[in-house]
């Protein structure tokens, strides 16, 4: 039940986020788009404290944490965030700041790979990967579909606001039309999961997503708002079939 609720809430609400932020921006200010998360976080902490009981084992197993690898990973991710976030601010690849951070990022990545793969042989790493190949395939599929979801929502939102000059609230309402089918698809594929049906759901989601992306490519200056809503709803419906936790977790 918990996984079902997480899947429905986490995925189906992504399309309603632009509408919510547009209302917050118009009613308060753009700063409240970030500040509004504070009371929600406090409420979550209270609910976790009230309803979640500790499940610590009687005799916890000692876990060795490679703090050097964690530090290298954190530094590499921070460098990537600066590279992609401040690319234009620095003036592109010709700036000294960009070149320096890119070089540091490359060095940190090489050191991280050497640290992780240097503790044991290649065969040992391959054995570990083959033991969790289902998990790796599931997480890879989930990551790709999340990128697909965010790319579709971002591009369509930019098209409506920048090209068609739709008000932000109106654009958010069109994007929010994708939430009900996303919730329904995630709920159904999660509740009625069967191992024998997983290939069917995966194939249906993959083919449906590809067909909807091709359909979305036909959007032009004369596409009506109703057609946009239907396109988004169908596209994210098939995406949710792949994102369902029980469908992708082999």
């Amino acid at each position: 039940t918990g996984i079902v609720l997480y899947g429905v809430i986490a995925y189906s609400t992504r399309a309603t986020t632009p509408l919510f932020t547009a209302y917050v921006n118009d009613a308060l200010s753009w700063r409240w788009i970030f500040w509004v998360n504070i009371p929600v976080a406090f409420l979550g902490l209270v609910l976790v404290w009230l309803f979640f009981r500790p499940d610590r084992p009687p005799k916890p197993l000692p876990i060795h944490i490679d703090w050097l690898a964690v530090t290298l990973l954190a530094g590499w991710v921070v460098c990537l965030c600066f590279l992609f976030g401040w690319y234009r601010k620095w003036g592109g690849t010709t700036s000294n700041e960009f070149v320096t951070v890119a070089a540091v990022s490359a060095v940190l990545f090489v050191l991280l790979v050497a640290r992780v793969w240097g503790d044991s042989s290649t065969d040992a790493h391959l054995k570990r990967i083959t033991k969790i190949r289902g998990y790796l395939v599931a997480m890879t599929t989930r990551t790709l579909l999340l990128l697909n979801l965010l790319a579709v929502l971002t591009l369509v939102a930019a098209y409506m606001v920048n090209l068609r000059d739709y008000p932000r609230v109106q654009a958010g309402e069109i994007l929010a039309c994708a939430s009900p089918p996303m919730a329904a698809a995630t709920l159904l594929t999660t509740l009625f999961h069967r191992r024998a049906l997983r290939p069917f759901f995966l194939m249906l989601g993959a083919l449906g997503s590809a067909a909807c992306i091709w359909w979305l490519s036909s959007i032009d200056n004369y596409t009506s708002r109703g057609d946009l809503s239907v396109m988004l709803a169908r596209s994210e419906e098939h995406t949710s079939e792949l994102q369902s936790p029980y469908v992708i977790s082999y």
Side-chain angles (χ1 to χ4, degrees):
T1 303
I3 296 297
V4 175
L5 294 176
Y6 167 78
V8 172
I9 296 174
Y11 296 135
S12 62
T13 56
R14 295 178 187 271
T16 60
T17 302
L19 178 60
F20 175 74
T21 55
Y23 279 128
V24 172
N25 182 54
D26 292 344
L28 300 172
S29 69
W30 65 268
R31 293 180 176 85
W32 274 97
I33 296 175
F34 303 96
W35 291 345
V36 75
N37 294 288
I38 297 176
V40 175
F42 276 114
L43 177 61
L45 289 175
V46 173
L47 293 176
V48 169
W49 182 73
L50 291 176
F51 296 104
F52 280 78
R53 295 294 177 262
D55 56 354
R56 185 179 178 88
K59 188 178 181 181
L61 297 176
I63 299 178
H64 173 69
I65 299 178
D66 191 345
W67 291 108
L68 178 58
V70 172
T71 304
L72 291 173
L73 176 62
W76 178 57
V77 172
V78 169
C79 289
L80 290 180
C81 291
F82 276 104
L83 284 176
F84 291 106
W86 287 16
Y87 174 80
R88 292 184 178 179
K89 183 177 181 179
W90 283 338
T93 57
T94 58
S95 64
N96 295 331
E97 292 86 352
F98 181 89
V99 174
T100 302
V101 176
V104 173
S105 174
V107 171
L108 289 176
F109 178 74
V110 172
L111 293 176
L112 177 63
V113 173
R115 177 68 179 179
V116 173
W117 286 82
D119 291 341
S120 57
S121 63
T122 305
D123 293 336
H125 284 290
L126 292 177
K127 289 180 180 179
R128 293 177 186 176
I129 293 175
T130 54
K131 287 181 180 179
I132 57 172
R133 59 184 180 275
Y135 175 80
L136 290 177
V137 171
M139 290 299 101
T140 302
T141 304
R142 178 178 179 273
T143 302
L144 292 176
L145 266 298
L146 283 176
L147 291 175
N148 177 28
L149 170 64
L150 295 177
V152 169
L153 294 178
T154 302
L155 291 176
V156 174
Y159 157 79
M160 290 188 292
V161 174
N162 299 330
L163 186 61
R164 301 291 296 272
D165 293 327
Y166 288 171
R168 293 185 181 275
V169 173
Q170 191 175 82
E173 291 173 350
I174 295 175
L175 293 175
C177 293
S179 288
M182 288 177 68
T186 305
L187 182 64
L188 292 176
T189 53
T190 305
L191 290 178
F192 299 99
H193 67 279
R194 297 292 185 275
R195 183 170 293 274
L197 292 177
R198 288 176 182 174
F200 169 75
F201 283 131
L202 286 170
M203 184 63 67
L204 179 64
L207 294 178
S209 297
C212 288
I213 293 298
W214 175 78
W215 190 17
L216 286 168
S217 67
S218 65
I219 293 177
D220 54 25
N221 291 335
Y222 305 100
T223 304
S224 65
R225 299 169 187 172
D227 290 341
L228 281 175
S229 301
V230 173
M231 290 178 180
L232 284 171
R234 295 308 304 270
S235 175
E236 307 314 329
E237 173 189 351
H238 289 294
T239 302
S240 296
E241 293 169 358
L242 284 167
Q243 290 173 341
S244 175
Y246 279 111
V247 172
I248 65 173
S249 58
Y250 279 94

